[in-house]
């Protein structure tokens, strides 16, 4: 398969690829968030405090601010729409439990697995990503032996949402083996 992982999903993709290399032919990482060393001290929070924090994550002002960081130069009306869409999963009956369980489990730490990835990898990043630093993206590019890096102009943390045709073309060309 060609496995695609955006943001924290890149950690999941690296973990899967390291553990099941025979299942992954190529890897696509979009604004990869892979250098967090788990959830840190959040793993030690009492569950009551963790649930209070997770409840805060659903708050409209916090989600709206996250959208300001994630997207590049969006209008107020689009920002409001995308905030509402981006909060949908927070209202699923399982979301709070799943998020707290993720926090107290220690989260993802795939730093030691990066060097196990031998597959051809396409790293796509938004030119104006305010969430994953360019320094960390370049670090990953240098650590993956078989990686190609492409920057999507005029996009933030979610180039696949802001510039879907551009990202789709990059992935399609990569899948076909075209030099990009």
């Amino acid at each position: 398969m060609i496995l695609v992982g955006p943001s924290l999903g890149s950690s999941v993709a690296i973990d899967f690829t390291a553990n099941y290399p025979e299942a992954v032919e190529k890897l696509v990482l979009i604004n990869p968030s892979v250098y967090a060393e788990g959830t840190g001290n959040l793993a030690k929070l009492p569950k009551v405090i963790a649930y209070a924090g997770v409840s805060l994550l659903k708050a409209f002002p916090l989600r709206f601010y996250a959208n300001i960081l994630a997207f590049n130069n969006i209008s107020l009306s689009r920002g409001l729409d995308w905030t509402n869409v981006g909060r949908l999963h927070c209202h699923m009956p399982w979301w709070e439990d799943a998020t707290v369980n993720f926090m107290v489990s220690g989260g993802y730490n795939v730093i030691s697995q990066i060097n196990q990835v031998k597959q051809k990898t396409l790293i796509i990043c938004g030119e104006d990503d305010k969430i994953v630093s360019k320094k960390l993206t370049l670090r990953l590019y240098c650590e993956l032996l078989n990686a190609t890096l492409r920057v999507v102009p005029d996009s933030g943390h979610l180039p696949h949402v802001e510039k879907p045709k551009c990202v789709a073309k990059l992935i399609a060309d990569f899948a076909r083996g075209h030099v990009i």
Side-chain angles (χ1 to χ4, degrees), residues 69-125:
L69 292 177
F71 294 106
N72 191 38
N73 299 322
I74 59 171
S75 67
L76 177 61
S77 63
R78 182 167 283 176
L80 293 171
D81 286 345
W82 285 358
T83 298
N84 286 325
V85 170
R87 293 177 66 228
L88 289 174
H89 68 285
C90 299
H91 296 287
M92 299 302 295
W94 47 262
W95 182 78
E96 286 185 8
D97 291 333
T99 304
V100 167
N101 288 335
F102 177 78
M103 285 170 49
V104 300
S105 76
Y108 261 111
N109 183 347
V110 298
I111 295 169
S112 66
Q113 294 175 300
I114 291 169
N115 65 355
Q116 296 173 36
V117 174
K118 308 299 183 211
Q119 290 79 351
K120 287 185 178 182
T121 303
L122 173 62
I123 301 171
I124 300 172
C125 68

Side-chain angles (χ1 to χ4, degrees), residues 147-163:
T148 300
L149 174 63
R150 292 294 176 256
V151 177
V152 178
D154 300 318
S155 68
H157 187 64
L158 301 170
H160 50 293
V161 175
E162 291 182 274
K163 305 283 184 174

Side-chain angles (χ1 to χ4, degrees), residues 5 16 24 27 36 70 120 132:
F16 185 88
V24 180
L27 190 58
K120 287 185 178 182
V132 177

Side-chain angles (χ1 to χ4, degrees), residues 6-152:
S7 194
L8 182 59
S10 294
S11 289
V12 177
I14 286 174
D15 182 35
F16 185 88
T17 302
N19 284 291
Y20 304 98
E22 70 285 353
V24 180
E25 179 184 347
K26 294 180 179 181
L27 190 58
V28 177
L29 307 175
I30 303 173
N31 283 334
S33 178
V34 298
Y35 290 109
E37 296 182 19
T39 56
N41 289 331
L42 295 176
K44 298 173 185 167
L45 286 176
K47 279 204 171 187
V48 145
I49 303 293
Y51 274 99
V54 165
S55 188
L56 179 65
L57 289 176
K58 289 197 279 191
F60 187 89
L62 185 64
R63 289 286 169 169
F64 184 72
Y65 178 68
N67 273 332
I68 290 170
L69 292 177
F71 294 106
N72 191 38
N73 299 322
I74 59 171
S75 67
L76 177 61
S77 63
R78 182 167 283 176
L80 293 171
D81 286 345
W82 285 358
T83 298
N84 286 325
V85 170
R87 293 177 66 228
L88 289 174
H89 68 285
C90 299
H91 296 287
M92 299 302 295
W94 47 262
W95 182 78
E96 286 185 8
D97 291 333
T99 304
V100 167
N101 288 335
F102 177 78
M103 285 170 49
V104 300
S105 76
Y108 261 111
N109 183 347
V110 298
I111 295 169
S112 66
Q113 294 175 300
I114 291 169
N115 65 355
Q116 296 173 36
V117 174
K118 308 299 183 211
Q119 290 79 351
K120 287 185 178 182
T121 303
L122 173 62
I123 301 171
I124 300 172
C125 68
E127 177 180 46
D128 300 314
D129 187 354
K130 295 178 186 88
I131 295 174
V132 177
S133 75
K134 287 179 178 54
K135 180 179 176 182
L136 290 178
T137 301
L138 289 171
R139 175 180 168 188
L140 181 63
Y141 170 66
C142 291
E143 289 182 12
L144 290 170
L145 300 177
N146 211 354
T148 300
L149 174 63
R150 292 294 176 256
V151 177
V152 178

